Amino acid sequence: MTMTRRTILKGLATAPFVAAAGSLTVPTVAEAASIDAGQFSLSGRSSNSYGEFADLTAGLATKLTKVDATAVIADTNRNATHLTSAPSTVEAFATGFAWDSADQAVDYWIPQGVTTSADAYGNGVYPAGGTNRVVLVSWYFETDPDGNGVDDYALDKGLRLTFVDYTTAGTPTYRHVLLVEPVMTGTGEYSFNPIRKHAGGIMWYGNLLYVVDTYKGLRVFDLNTLFKVATTQADVCGLHTDGSYYGYGYQYVLPQSYAYDNAGKYLRYTTIGLDRASSPDSLVVSEYSLSGTVDYTDGTFNGTGVGTTTPKVVRWNLDYTNRQIASLTASEAVTVAQQKIQGVVSRNSKHYLSTSAGTSTKGSLRTFTSGDSTATTVCDLAIGCEDLSYHSSGASGWAYSESVIWNLSEYVGKRYVYAVHADGS
């Protein structure tokens, strides 16, 4: 989630690289304070300008073969490399993998979000009653990967999601799918468009995947509904003139099924995490800032205006019976004076943050408790650390001897997906 990302003004693109040269290796002290949670709210939305998501998806189902996530997991086509030791600067290493050589080298697809089947279901396996141990990772397409303000790639292919079959940790395999939004063409045909956002954080809960939309709120995808499409057109998305549907060369597309739009004070939806320790289950969202002050001027934000520009962790309660947000008004909000937050997960009032420090300096896993005045460092993370996902030792179907936290790193040639011991040991 470096500032080279397309969703922040490209005029700011070189800022983190300039700052990195003088970055401190020790994170700055983070101060935290509870604030009024009622000022943060969401508005649920089941449609876009083309109609109801359910109707649009049903229309696509009359044209395409519908599958679910288990079919994709059973149809992986790339091999990852199991990590037998800690990569890069990572401390408290538990497990992990690296992408194949092509995905390590590609500069226009950049990994960002991570979640696992230990988020999806409490026992850690997918689907309910199944046996798959799965890691999901989101990537965004960067048309200007060198950050010089000039697009190197003319076609922005949006977002992709990677299903990693980690059931046999020693030989992980994976497949990419394209995230899309269902639409209608000008002639009334069912189709879909790429989603040109950042996907800096993702959260898997039951059959639903939550994806942050930086300026807008949350997008939701139903993992029971994917479509198989033709693959011969690598630069076409949706219904083509030849009558076939394509997803930029990917075999499967995953259409959006719902949205939660920010409706209260501005919030930068940078990253998201699931809290299974809270009662009820809940999700938390946190905000990226370059200097410790959140920027709300670089895009068009949904909401009612600026409350505070100090980075925040904001919580919403979840309904496990339907996997949706239980109340549209936040149940907790805390400020945390911490720059470069890339990931967040919580366990009741204890919050974990991943914080980055540029292209050449290690990241950090930090923690604080609601109401505390400072955050402390748990362990070092990889250079270019990103999103977080908590994996409880209580996940009996995919157990570790102690709880771990998943993270991933984004830079070319240094891309790892790994878990560290939650206590830093």
Side-chain angles (χ1 to χ4, degrees), residues 228-240:
K228 194 170 186 178
V229 296
T231 60
T232 56
Q233 297 291 333
D235 292 333
V236 176
C237 180
L239 179 61
H240 193 37

Side-chain angles (χ1 to χ4, degrees), residues 267-352:
L267 189 66
R268 192 177 196 96
Y269 288 79
T270 298
T271 186
I272 186 173
L274 175 67
D275 186 352
R276 281 193 172 277
S278 64
S279 183
D281 293 346
S282 58
L283 66 82
V284 288
V285 170
S286 192
E287 301 180 289
Y288 179 90
S289 67
L290 183 60
S291 63
T293 300
V294 182
D295 184 9
Y296 297 115
T297 66
D298 65 324
T300 303
F301 283 81
N302 282 352
T304 58
V306 178
T308 173
T309 58
T310 305
K312 293 167 286 295
V313 175
V314 181
R315 181 191 304 271
W316 277 269
N317 291 334
L318 293 166
D319 183 345
Y320 78 93
T321 64
N322 59 19
R323 305 295 175 172
Q324 297 174 358
I325 292 177
S327 172
L328 296 177
T329 301
S331 59
E332 182 188 20
V334 296
T335 60
V336 54
Q338 174 68 59
Q339 64 185 26
K340 299 181 181 178
I341 297 171
Q342 304 282 14
V344 63
V345 287
S346 299
R347 300 289 287 175
N348 285 312
S349 60
K350 186 172 186 177
H351 311 286
Y352 296 87

Side-chain angles (χ1 to χ4, degrees), residues 47-281:
S47 64
N48 59 19
S49 61
Y50 299 93
E52 291 289 318
F53 288 124
D55 294 339
L56 297 170
T57 301
L60 287 170
T62 67
K63 306 291 185 179
L64 295 166
T65 299
K66 177 183 170 182
V67 300
D68 62 15
T70 57
V72 177
I73 296 163
D75 191 27
T76 55
N77 62 342
R78 300 191 183 206
N79 296 318
T81 300
H82 177 62
L83 297 174
T84 57
S85 60
S88 180
T89 56
V90 174
E91 295 179 325
F93 175 75
T95 189
F97 62 90
W99 306 107
D100 70 11
S101 58
D103 286 323
Q104 282 286 359
V106 66
D107 63 349
Y108 47 80
W109 282 114
I110 302 178
Q112 293 290 290
V114 64
T115 185
T116 78
S117 50
D119 283 338
Y121 293 103
N123 66 355
V125 293
Y126 186 86
T131 59
N132 295 310
R133 302 168 184 172
V134 185
V135 178
L136 298 184
V137 171
S138 63
W139 310 59
Y140 77 95
F141 195 98
E142 177 56 75
T143 56
D144 177 23
D146 56 11
N148 66 359
V150 178
D151 286 338
D152 298 313
Y153 303 97
L155 179 61
D156 181 350
K157 296 184 178 181
L159 304 176
R160 71 181 185 184
L161 180 72
T162 306
F163 289 81
V164 183
D165 184 353
Y166 208 64
T167 306
T168 304
T171 55
T173 59
Y174 64 98
R175 178 182 280 276
H176 304 304
V177 309
L178 192 72
L179 295 181
V180 297
E181 182 170 355
V183 300
M184 298 284 285
T185 69
T187 56
E189 298 285 344
Y190 294 104
S191 188
F192 47 82
N193 289 337
I195 298 174
R196 295 183 171 120
K197 299 294 180 177
H198 189 67
I202 59 177
M203 185 195 80
W204 191 358
Y205 192 51
N207 63 304
L208 299 182
L209 178 72
Y210 288 76
V211 179
V212 293
D213 186 333
T214 309
Y215 307 128
K216 304 298 185 183
L218 303 171
R219 293 177 183 247
V220 183
F221 300 80
D222 185 350
L223 294 179
N224 289 333
T225 304
L226 295 93
F227 293 110
K228 194 170 186 178
V229 296
T231 60
T232 56
Q233 297 291 333
D235 292 333
V236 176
C237 180
L239 179 61
H240 193 37
T241 53
D242 65 3
S244 295
Y245 289 82
Y246 298 93
Y248 289 138
Y250 294 109
Q251 182 78 79
Y252 301 97
V253 298
L254 173 57
Q256 184 175 340
S257 61
Y258 201 75
Y260 290 99
D261 298 327
N262 192 66
K265 293 296 184 182
Y266 288 169
L267 189 66
R268 192 177 196 96
Y269 288 79
T270 298
T271 186
I272 186 173
L274 175 67
D275 186 352
R276 281 193 172 277
S278 64
S279 183
D281 293 346

Side-chain angles (χ1 to χ4, degrees), residues 399-418:
Y400 292 102
S401 59
E402 58 185 286
S403 296
V404 299
I405 296 176
W406 287 84
N407 182 239
L408 76 167
S409 51
E410 69 173 344
Y411 294 128
V412 169
K414 303 175 182 178
R415 290 174 174 164
Y416 310 106
V417 182
Y418 59 92

